[in-house]
Amino acid sequence: MFGVDKKLIDKVRIETCAKYNDEMVCTDFNVHYLETMLRSADISYTILNKPTRYLCNAAYYHMLKKNPNTVFIHIPSLKGMRIELMDKLIAFFNDICSN
């Protein structure tokens, strides 16, 4: 899953958990593998283990309840993303989808 965070500048953020009411759920997705792939593609990233309180969190929560092997990645808005990062992300996700 993807969301846009206009506060991000030239990096992506991997979300590992979501919270709804008082229940927190976390992904079963291999985040360490994703980190390795992002590093090899020279894409800056952060990992957030604390749920946000926005619409993305609610959507992620409901998806994790259906499929715990889901991961949520926030990307910068166009204003916060240089063309180099955009090109890297396009190549990165094209590569992942073709494998």
Side-chain angles (χ1 to χ4, degrees), residues 8-24:
L8 283 174
I9 305 294
D10 278 326
K11 67 180 172 181
V12 300
R13 186 178 66 240
I14 303 165
E15 310 282 343
T16 62
C17 299
K19 186 174 182 180
Y20 189 74
N21 293 328
D22 287 327
E23 182 184 14
M24 187 158 79

Side-chain angles (χ1 to χ4, degrees), residues 4-37:
V4 174
D5 184 339
K6 60 185 174 186
K7 294 178 186 174
L8 283 174
I9 305 294
D10 278 326
K11 67 180 172 181
V12 300
R13 186 178 66 240
I14 303 165
E15 310 282 343
T16 62
C17 299
K19 186 174 182 180
Y20 189 74
N21 293 328
D22 287 327
E23 182 184 14
M24 187 158 79
V25 291
C26 295
T27 185
D28 289 341
F29 188 86
N30 186 345
V31 174
H32 297 294
Y33 172 73
L34 182 58
E35 283 184 273
T36 301
M37 299 290 292

Side-chain angles (χ1 to χ4, degrees), residues 2-3 7 14 20 34 43 48 52 54 59 67 73 88 94 97:
F2 292 96
K7 294 178 186 174
I14 303 165
Y20 189 74
L34 182 58
I43 297 173
L48 184 64
T52 62
Y54 300 101
N67 181 358
I73 301 173
K88 287 179 186 179
N94 279 336
C97 291

